[in-house]
Amino acid sequence: MERAFNRAFTTSLASTNAAQPNHQVPKSEEADMELADKILLWYNEKDYFSCFDLPQPRMNALDRPVWDVSDKDLSKAFRKTSLKIHPDKNPDPRARDAFDKLNSLYQILQDHSLREELIRTAAERAKRMEKRSWNPAGMDLNEELEKVSASAKEKRELQKEEADGFASQIAAQLKMKRARAQYKQALESRRGRVASESDSEEETQPNKKQAPKKDDEDNEEAAAAIRSAKMRANAKRKKKKFTM
C-alpha cells in the first residue's frame, strides 16, 4: 500500500513539473540584472565612473587630474547603460533604483564644476590605490625602468605644452593691450578733432550774428535817404506853389 502511494505521488509530481513552463532567464537578461547590482555597488562605493563603463580619471606626470573622456563619449555611455537597466526592459527588481541613480549621476556630471571635483577626487583615489599596490619586489626591472622613462617623457611634454600655452596667453594679452591702447589713442584723436571743429564753429557764429546788424544799418540808411528825398520833393512843390 505504501509503495503504491509513493509511486503515485512520484508520477503526479513528475507530470506536474512537466506541465509547468520553463522560466529560465536568458543569459543576456542575467547580465543586465547583474549590471543593475553592480551599478548600485559602484554608486555606494563612490566609484561613479565605473557606472558608465568609462575609464577612471588619473593623475598625470605633473600631479594634475585628467579624464580622457569627452562630453560626447559620456552621453553615449549613459544612453547605452541606461537602456540596459531601464525598468521597462530589465526584469531585475533593483533596476529602477539603479536607473535612478545612474540618471542623477549623469545630471551631476553635466555640471562642469562638479565634474571637475569628482574627477579630482577619483584621480587622487586612483593614485593612492596605485601606491598601495606598488610592490617593487614583484616587479620586473625593465618594466619599472620603462614606466619611469615614460613618466619622465610625459612630464617633459606636459611642461612644454604648459610653457607654450603660457607664452601664447602672454602674447594674446599683449596683443589685447596694444589694441586697447590704439583704440584709446584713436578715441582721443577723434575727440580732439571734434573739439577743434566745435571751436571753429563758435568763432564763425559771432560773424553770422553781426550780419543781420549790417543789413539793418543798410535798411536804416535807405529809409533815411527816402525820407530826405520826400522832404526835398515836398519843399520844391511848396516853393513852386509860392512862386505862382
Side-chain angles (χ1 to χ4, degrees), residues 138-164:
M139 285 186 176
D140 184 79
L141 181 59
N142 293 330
E143 293 180 358
E144 183 64 18
L145 290 176
E146 289 179 359
K147 184 178 180 180
V148 172
S149 177
S151 178
K153 182 179 178 181
E154 181 186 6
K155 186 174 182 178
R156 289 194 300 269
E157 291 176 352
L158 291 173
Q159 288 175 341
K160 185 177 183 302
E161 289 179 3
E162 287 193 352
D164 295 341

PDB file of all heavy atoms in Angstrom, residues 138-164:
ATOM      1  N   GLY A 138      58.101  42.475  -6.566  1.00  0.00           N
ATOM      2  CA  GLY A 138      57.465  41.630  -7.565  1.00  0.00           C
ATOM      3  C   GLY A 138      57.487  42.204  -8.965  1.00  0.00           C
ATOM      4  O   GLY A 138      56.845  41.664  -9.866  1.00  0.00           O
ATOM      5  N   MET A 139      58.223  43.286  -9.176  1.00  0.00           N
ATOM      6  CA  MET A 139      58.258  43.935 -10.474  1.00  0.00           C
ATOM      7  C   MET A 139      59.507  43.549 -11.250  1.00  0.00           C
ATOM      8  O   MET A 139      60.567  43.291 -10.667  1.00  0.00           O
ATOM      9  CB  MET A 139      58.227  45.468 -10.326  1.00  0.00           C
ATOM     10  CG  MET A 139      56.880  46.030  -9.950  1.00  0.00           C
ATOM     11  SD  MET A 139      56.899  47.835  -9.982  1.00  0.00           S
ATOM     12  CE  MET A 139      55.190  48.165  -9.624  1.00  0.00           C
ATOM     13  N   ASP A 140      59.351  43.546 -12.537  1.00  0.00           N
ATOM     14  CA  ASP A 140      60.492  43.343 -13.411  1.00  0.00           C
ATOM     15  C   ASP A 140      61.242  44.657 -13.549  1.00  0.00           C
ATOM     16  O   ASP A 140      60.641  45.712 -13.728  1.00  0.00           O
ATOM     17  CB  ASP A 140      60.026  42.839 -14.778  1.00  0.00           C
ATOM     18  CG  ASP A 140      61.207  42.526 -15.680  1.00  0.00           C
ATOM     19  OD1 ASP A 140      61.810  41.447 -15.513  1.00  0.00           O
ATOM     20  OD2 ASP A 140      61.518  43.378 -16.531  1.00  0.00           O
ATOM     21  N   LEU A 141      62.554  44.615 -13.486  1.00  0.00           N
ATOM     22  CA  LEU A 141      63.365  45.838 -13.518  1.00  0.00           C
ATOM     23  C   LEU A 141      63.175  46.587 -14.836  1.00  0.00           C
ATOM     24  O   LEU A 141      63.067  47.818 -14.843  1.00  0.00           O
ATOM     25  CB  LEU A 141      64.838  45.483 -13.305  1.00  0.00           C
ATOM     26  CG  LEU A 141      65.812  46.673 -13.295  1.00  0.00           C
ATOM     27  CD1 LEU A 141      65.425  47.656 -12.196  1.00  0.00           C
ATOM     28  CD2 LEU A 141      67.248  46.196 -13.115  1.00  0.00           C
ATOM     29  N   ASN A 142      63.127  45.867 -15.936  1.00  0.00           N
ATOM     30  CA  ASN A 142      62.957  46.521 -17.234  1.00  0.00           C
ATOM     31  C   ASN A 142      61.604  47.219 -17.333  1.00  0.00           C
ATOM     32  O   ASN A 142      61.498  48.338 -17.852  1.00  0.00           O
ATOM     33  CB  ASN A 142      63.097  45.497 -18.360  1.00  0.00           C
ATOM     34  CG  ASN A 142      64.512  44.951 -18.458  1.00  0.00           C
ATOM     35  OD1 ASN A 142      65.475  45.642 -18.134  1.00  0.00           O
ATOM     36  ND2 ASN A 142      64.644  43.703 -18.903  1.00  0.00           N
ATOM     37  N   GLU A 143      60.565  46.553 -16.835  1.00  0.00           N
ATOM     38  CA  GLU A 143      59.242  47.176 -16.849  1.00  0.00           C
ATOM     39  C   GLU A 143      59.211  48.437 -15.991  1.00  0.00           C
ATOM     40  O   GLU A 143      58.609  49.445 -16.361  1.00  0.00           O
ATOM     41  CB  GLU A 143      58.199  46.178 -16.351  1.00  0.00           C
ATOM     42  CG  GLU A 143      57.982  44.991 -17.282  1.00  0.00           C
ATOM     43  CD  GLU A 143      56.937  44.042 -16.750  1.00  0.00           C
ATOM     44  OE1 GLU A 143      56.426  44.306 -15.626  1.00  0.00           O
ATOM     45  OE2 GLU A 143      56.634  43.043 -17.426  1.00  0.00           O
ATOM     46  N   GLU A 144      59.885  48.369 -14.838  1.00  0.00           N
ATOM     47  CA  GLU A 144      59.916  49.533 -13.964  1.00  0.00           C
ATOM     48  C   GLU A 144      60.673  50.690 -14.615  1.00  0.00           C
ATOM     49  O   GLU A 144      60.254  51.847 -14.536  1.00  0.00           O
ATOM     50  CB  GLU A 144      60.566  49.163 -12.634  1.00  0.00           C
ATOM     51  CG  GLU A 144      60.590  50.292 -11.610  1.00  0.00           C
ATOM     52  CD  GLU A 144      59.213  50.723 -11.185  1.00  0.00           C
ATOM     53  OE1 GLU A 144      58.253  49.960 -11.402  1.00  0.00           O
ATOM     54  OE2 GLU A 144      59.085  51.829 -10.638  1.00  0.00           O
ATOM     55  N   LEU A 145      61.772  50.388 -15.288  1.00  0.00           N
ATOM     56  CA  LEU A 145      62.541  51.427 -15.973  1.00  0.00           C
ATOM     57  C   LEU A 145      61.732  52.036 -17.112  1.00  0.00           C
ATOM     58  O   LEU A 145      61.768  53.257 -17.326  1.00  0.00           O
ATOM     59  CB  LEU A 145      63.855  50.845 -16.504  1.00  0.00           C
ATOM     60  CG  LEU A 145      64.896  50.477 -15.448  1.00  0.00           C
ATOM     61  CD1 LEU A 145      66.105  49.812 -16.108  1.00  0.00           C
ATOM     62  CD2 LEU A 145      65.339  51.707 -14.657  1.00  0.00           C
ATOM     63  N   GLU A 146      61.011  51.205 -17.834  1.00  0.00           N
ATOM     64  CA  GLU A 146      60.176  51.714 -18.910  1.00  0.00           C
ATOM     65  C   GLU A 146      59.077  52.619 -18.366  1.00  0.00           C
ATOM     66  O   GLU A 146      58.756  53.657 -18.958  1.00  0.00           O
ATOM     67  CB  GLU A 146      59.563  50.546 -19.687  1.00  0.00           C
ATOM     68  CG  GLU A 146      60.568  49.769 -20.529  1.00  0.00           C
ATOM     69  CD  GLU A 146      59.920  48.607 -21.247  1.00  0.00           C
ATOM     70  OE1 GLU A 146      58.686  48.426 -21.061  1.00  0.00           O
ATOM     71  OE2 GLU A 146      60.620  47.879 -21.980  1.00  0.00           O
ATOM     72  N   LYS A 147      58.524  52.232 -17.241  1.00  0.00           N
ATOM     73  CA  LYS A 147      57.479  53.038 -16.624  1.00  0.00           C
ATOM     74  C   LYS A 147      58.016  54.390 -16.175  1.00  0.00           C
ATOM     75  O   LYS A 147      57.383  55.436 -16.405  1.00  0.00           O
ATOM     76  CB  LYS A 147      56.880  52.280 -15.441  1.00  0.00           C
ATOM     77  CG  LYS A 147      55.712  52.982 -14.782  1.00  0.00           C
ATOM     78  CD  LYS A 147      55.138  52.144 -13.662  1.00  0.00           C
ATOM     79  CE  LYS A 147      53.971  52.856 -13.001  1.00  0.00           C
ATOM     80  NZ  LYS A 147      53.393  52.055 -11.890  1.00  0.00           N
ATOM     81  N   VAL A 148      59.178  54.391 -15.545  1.00  0.00           N
ATOM     82  CA  VAL A 148      59.791  55.641 -15.090  1.00  0.00           C
ATOM     83  C   VAL A 148      60.151  56.518 -16.283  1.00  0.00           C
ATOM     84  O   VAL A 148      59.954  57.743 -16.266  1.00  0.00           O
ATOM     85  CB  VAL A 148      61.034  55.341 -14.234  1.00  0.00           C
ATOM     86  CG1 VAL A 148      61.798  56.623 -13.919  1.00  0.00           C
ATOM     87  CG2 VAL A 148      60.634  54.639 -12.945  1.00  0.00           C
ATOM     88  N   SER A 149      60.679  55.908 -17.346  1.00  0.00           N
ATOM     89  CA  SER A 149      61.046  56.662 -18.545  1.00  0.00           C
ATOM     90  C   SER A 149      59.816  57.270 -19.204  1.00  0.00           C
ATOM     91  O   SER A 149      59.839  58.438 -19.631  1.00  0.00           O
ATOM     92  CB  SER A 149      61.777  55.742 -19.523  1.00  0.00           C
ATOM     93  OG  SER A 149      62.074  56.430 -20.713  1.00  0.00           O
ATOM     94  N   ALA A 150      58.729  56.494 -19.290  1.00  0.00           N
ATOM     95  CA  ALA A 150      57.504  57.018 -19.895  1.00  0.00           C
ATOM     96  C   ALA A 150      56.936  58.168 -19.064  1.00  0.00           C
ATOM     97  O   ALA A 150      56.452  59.165 -19.611  1.00  0.00           O
ATOM     98  CB  ALA A 150      56.477  55.898 -20.020  1.00  0.00           C
ATOM     99  N   SER A 151      57.005  58.045 -17.740  1.00  0.00           N
ATOM    100  CA  SER A 151      56.506  59.110 -16.875  1.00  0.00           C
ATOM    101  C   SER A 151      57.332  60.379 -17.037  1.00  0.00           C
ATOM    102  O   SER A 151      56.786  61.487 -17.087  1.00  0.00           O
ATOM    103  CB  SER A 151      56.530  58.635 -15.422  1.00  0.00           C
ATOM    104  OG  SER A 151      56.090  59.662 -14.554  1.00  0.00           O
ATOM    105  N   ALA A 152      58.652  60.229 -17.133  1.00  0.00           N
ATOM    106  CA  ALA A 152      59.518  61.393 -17.318  1.00  0.00           C
ATOM    107  C   ALA A 152      59.263  62.058 -18.672  1.00  0.00           C
ATOM    108  O   ALA A 152      59.241  63.290 -18.777  1.00  0.00           O
ATOM    109  CB  ALA A 152      60.981  60.974 -17.205  1.00  0.00           C
ATOM    110  N   LYS A 153      59.056  61.246 -19.703  1.00  0.00           N
ATOM    111  CA  LYS A 153      58.768  61.789 -21.028  1.00  0.00           C
ATOM    112  C   LYS A 153      57.449  62.547 -21.027  1.00  0.00           C
ATOM    113  O   LYS A 153      57.334  63.648 -21.597  1.00  0.00           O
ATOM    114  CB  LYS A 153      58.721  60.652 -22.050  1.00  0.00           C
ATOM    115  CG  LYS A 153      58.476  61.131 -23.474  1.00  0.00           C
ATOM    116  CD  LYS A 153      58.464  59.944 -24.427  1.00  0.00           C
ATOM    117  CE  LYS A 153      58.178  60.430 -25.856  1.00  0.00           C
ATOM    118  NZ  LYS A 153      58.127  59.288 -26.812  1.00  0.00           N
ATOM    119  N   GLU A 154      56.428  61.968 -20.402  1.00  0.00           N
ATOM    120  CA  GLU A 154      55.129  62.628 -20.310  1.00  0.00           C
ATOM    121  C   GLU A 154      55.245  63.949 -19.548  1.00  0.00           C
ATOM    122  O   GLU A 154      54.627  64.957 -19.925  1.00  0.00           O
ATOM    123  CB  GLU A 154      54.120  61.717 -19.608  1.00  0.00           C
ATOM    124  CG  GLU A 154      52.726  62.323 -19.501  1.00  0.00           C
ATOM    125  CD  GLU A 154      51.787  61.468 -18.681  1.00  0.00           C
ATOM    126  OE1 GLU A 154      52.243  60.457 -18.096  1.00  0.00           O
ATOM    127  OE2 GLU A 154      50.599  61.820 -18.599  1.00  0.00           O
ATOM    128  N   LYS A 155      56.052  63.962 -18.511  1.00  0.00           N
ATOM    129  CA  LYS A 155      56.228  65.181 -17.723  1.00  0.00           C
ATOM    130  C   LYS A 155      56.875  66.275 -18.565  1.00  0.00           C
ATOM    131  O   LYS A 155      56.448  67.437 -18.515  1.00  0.00           O
ATOM    132  CB  LYS A 155      57.082  64.879 -16.491  1.00  0.00           C
ATOM    133  CG  LYS A 155      57.204  66.044 -15.533  1.00  0.00           C
ATOM    134  CD  LYS A 155      57.942  65.628 -14.272  1.00  0.00           C
ATOM    135  CE  LYS A 155      58.014  66.781 -13.278  1.00  0.00           C
ATOM    136  NZ  LYS A 155      58.694  66.383 -12.026  1.00  0.00           N
ATOM    137  N   ARG A 156      57.897  65.913 -19.346  1.00  0.00           N
ATOM    138  CA  ARG A 156      58.546  66.906 -20.203  1.00  0.00           C
ATOM    139  C   ARG A 156      57.573  67.454 -21.242  1.00  0.00           C
ATOM    140  O   ARG A 156      57.537  68.674 -21.499  1.00  0.00           O
ATOM    141  CB  ARG A 156      59.763  66.278 -20.896  1.00  0.00           C
ATOM    142  CG  ARG A 156      60.940  65.997 -19.967  1.00  0.00           C
ATOM    143  CD  ARG A 156      62.197  65.707 -20.768  1.00  0.00           C
ATOM    144  NE  ARG A 156      62.016  64.535 -21.627  1.00  0.00           N
ATOM    145  CZ  ARG A 156      62.302  63.289 -21.265  1.00  0.00           C
ATOM    146  NH1 ARG A 156      62.763  63.045 -20.034  1.00  0.00           N
ATOM    147  NH2 ARG A 156      62.125  62.284 -22.104  1.00  0.00           N
ATOM    148  N   GLU A 157      56.787  66.572 -21.840  1.00  0.00           N
ATOM    149  CA  GLU A 157      55.832  67.013 -22.854  1.00  0.00           C
ATOM    150  C   GLU A 157      54.771  67.929 -22.254  1.00  0.00           C
ATOM    151  O   GLU A 157      54.399  68.940 -22.848  1.00  0.00           O
ATOM    152  CB  GLU A 157      55.176  65.796 -23.507  1.00  0.00           C
ATOM    153  CG  GLU A 157      56.132  64.976 -24.371  1.00  0.00           C
ATOM    154  CD  GLU A 157      55.475  63.727 -24.922  1.00  0.00           C
ATOM    155  OE1 GLU A 157      54.322  63.438 -24.499  1.00  0.00           O
ATOM    156  OE2 GLU A 157      56.096  63.050 -25.757  1.00  0.00           O
ATOM    157  N   LEU A 158      54.301  67.578 -21.062  1.00  0.00           N
ATOM    158  CA  LEU A 158      53.298  68.416 -20.415  1.00  0.00           C
ATOM    159  C   LEU A 158      53.865  69.780 -20.027  1.00  0.00           C
ATOM    160  O   LEU A 158      53.196  70.808 -20.166  1.00  0.00           O
ATOM    161  CB  LEU A 158      52.746  67.703 -19.175  1.00  0.00           C
ATOM    162  CG  LEU A 158      51.880  66.468 -19.441  1.00  0.00           C
ATOM    163  CD1 LEU A 158      51.542  65.768 -18.132  1.00  0.00           C
ATOM    164  CD2 LEU A 158      50.603  66.844 -20.169  1.00  0.00           C
ATOM    165  N   GLN A 159      55.101  69.781 -19.545  1.00  0.00           N
ATOM    166  CA  GLN A 159      55.741  71.050 -19.197  1.00  0.00           C
ATOM    167  C   GLN A 159      55.923  71.926 -20.431  1.00  0.00           C
ATOM    168  O   GLN A 159      55.729  73.142 -20.378  1.00  0.00           O
ATOM    169  CB  GLN A 159      57.090  70.782 -18.526  1.00  0.00           C
ATOM    170  CG  GLN A 159      56.962  70.229 -17.112  1.00  0.00           C
ATOM    171  CD  GLN A 159      58.294  69.857 -16.509  1.00  0.00           C
ATOM    172  OE1 GLN A 159      59.298  69.671 -17.226  1.00  0.00           O
ATOM    173  NE2 GLN A 159      58.346  69.740 -15.189  1.00  0.00           N
ATOM    174  N   LYS A 160      56.282  71.307 -21.556  1.00  0.00           N
ATOM    175  CA  LYS A 160      56.445  72.057 -22.796  1.00  0.00           C
ATOM    176  C   LYS A 160      55.100  72.624 -23.254  1.00  0.00           C
ATOM    177  O   LYS A 160      55.009  73.788 -23.690  1.00  0.00           O
ATOM    178  CB  LYS A 160      57.039  71.168 -23.887  1.00  0.00           C
ATOM    179  CG  LYS A 160      57.361  71.897 -25.187  1.00  0.00           C
ATOM    180  CD  LYS A 160      58.005  70.969 -26.185  1.00  0.00           C
ATOM    181  CE  LYS A 160      58.388  71.716 -27.462  1.00  0.00           C
ATOM    182  NZ  LYS A 160      57.234  72.380 -28.106  1.00  0.00           N
ATOM    183  N   GLU A 161      54.058  71.806 -23.175  1.00  0.00           N
ATOM    184  CA  GLU A 161      52.731  72.284 -23.561  1.00  0.00           C
ATOM    185  C   GLU A 161      52.285  73.441 -22.677  1.00  0.00           C
ATOM    186  O   GLU A 161      51.710  74.425 -23.173  1.00  0.00           O
ATOM    187  CB  GLU A 161      51.723  71.132 -23.477  1.00  0.00           C
ATOM    188  CG  GLU A 161      51.893  70.063 -24.551  1.00  0.00           C
ATOM    189  CD  GLU A 161      50.894  68.948 -24.391  1.00  0.00           C
ATOM    190  OE1 GLU A 161      50.045  69.049 -23.469  1.00  0.00           O
ATOM    191  OE2 GLU A 161      50.949  67.978 -25.160  1.00  0.00           O
ATOM    192  N   GLU A 162      52.541  73.335 -21.398  1.00  0.00           N
ATOM    193  CA  GLU A 162      52.155  74.415 -20.494  1.00  0.00           C
ATOM    194  C   GLU A 162      52.954  75.680 -20.773  1.00  0.00           C
ATOM    195  O   GLU A 162      52.420  76.784 -20.731  1.00  0.00           O
ATOM    196  CB  GLU A 162      52.337  73.973 -19.043  1.00  0.00           C
ATOM    197  CG  GLU A 162      51.297  72.984 -18.559  1.00  0.00           C
ATOM    198  CD  GLU A 162      51.324  72.822 -17.045  1.00  0.00           C
ATOM    199  OE1 GLU A 162      52.246  73.367 -16.415  1.00  0.00           O
ATOM    200  OE2 GLU A 162      50.425  72.152 -16.509  1.00  0.00           O
ATOM    201  N   ALA A 163      54.250  75.509 -21.063  1.00  0.00           N
ATOM    202  CA  ALA A 163      55.083  76.670 -21.373  1.00  0.00           C
ATOM    203  C   ALA A 163      54.608  77.344 -22.662  1.00  0.00           C
ATOM    204  O   ALA A 163      54.502  78.573 -22.733  1.00  0.00           O
ATOM    205  CB  ALA A 163      56.544  76.252 -21.507  1.00  0.00           C
ATOM    206  N   ASP A 164      54.303  76.520 -23.683  1.00  0.00           N
ATOM    207  CA  ASP A 164      53.804  77.086 -24.936  1.00  0.00           C
ATOM    208  C   ASP A 164      52.458  77.767 -24.725  1.00  0.00           C
ATOM    209  O   ASP A 164      52.202  78.845 -25.275  1.00  0.00           O
ATOM    210  CB  ASP A 164      53.683  75.984 -25.994  1.00  0.00           C
ATOM    211  CG  ASP A 164      55.035  75.407 -26.381  1.00  0.00           C
ATOM    212  OD1 ASP A 164      56.062  76.077 -26.126  1.00  0.00           O
ATOM    213  OD2 ASP A 164      55.080  74.284 -26.932  1.00  0.00           O
TER     214      ASP A 164
END
